[in-house]
Amino acid sequence: MHDFCFTIPYGLVLVCGGIVGFAKKGSIASLGGGLGTGFLLILAGYLSLQAFHKRKNSYFALIVETVCAAVLTWVMGQRYMETSKIMPAGVVAGISALMTGFYLFKIATGGNHFPSKSE
């Protein structure tokens, strides 16, 4: 599976979560964090998709994705440990931990793999 297949939906979930957090609680931090990291991940996923179309890997995008997911895992994991609230801290920390593992796997295996050209 290619990194952009998960990164773009992951970014969209974060954007939507930030908007919902702002709408429900008026939290500017949720809005800024969700929109900031979500759009950064969507951009990185788009860059990876464009590189894939050229049959190349975008290691820059993969590193950005990994760093974003790792930071979210740490920040939201800390917030979950302080509050014990599953939503949103526990869910975001869990999803981000899975994504961090996925991105590290992609880095370790050489990025996206391309189907062989059949003529």
Side-chain angles (χ1 to χ4, degrees):
M1 189 59 60
H2 308 296
D3 64 309
F4 53 83
C5 293
F6 291 115
T7 301
I8 294 171
Y10 174 45
L12 289 172
V13 166
L14 292 173
V15 167
C16 291
I19 292 169
V20 168
F22 178 73
K24 282 190 165 192
K25 303 281 185 177
S27 173
I28 300 294
S30 289
L31 184 63
L35 292 180
T37 57
F39 283 132
L40 186 60
L41 283 164
I42 292 168
L43 176 63
Y46 177 76
L47 291 174
S48 180
L49 177 61
Q50 294 305 313
F52 181 78
H53 286 310
K54 296 175 185 172
R55 300 185 65 77
K56 296 181 180 181
N57 275 306
S58 175
Y59 289 105
F60 172 75
L62 198 52
I63 290 169
V64 168
E65 294 162 353
T66 306
V67 168
C68 284
V71 168
L72 278 173
T73 300
W74 176 258
V75 170
M76 296 308 268
Q78 291 294 318
R79 184 164 297 155
Y80 173 72
M81 297 301 281
E82 291 170 6
T83 65
S84 297
K85 291 185 178 179
I86 295 291
M87 195 62 176
V91 172
V92 173
I95 292 170
S96 297
L98 289 172
M99 293 303 293
T100 301
F102 172 71
Y103 295 137
L104 291 173
F105 172 77
K106 293 306 284 183
I107 290 170
T109 59
N112 293 322
H113 299 282
F114 308 101
S116 60
K117 287 186 176 180
S118 58
E119 300 185 80

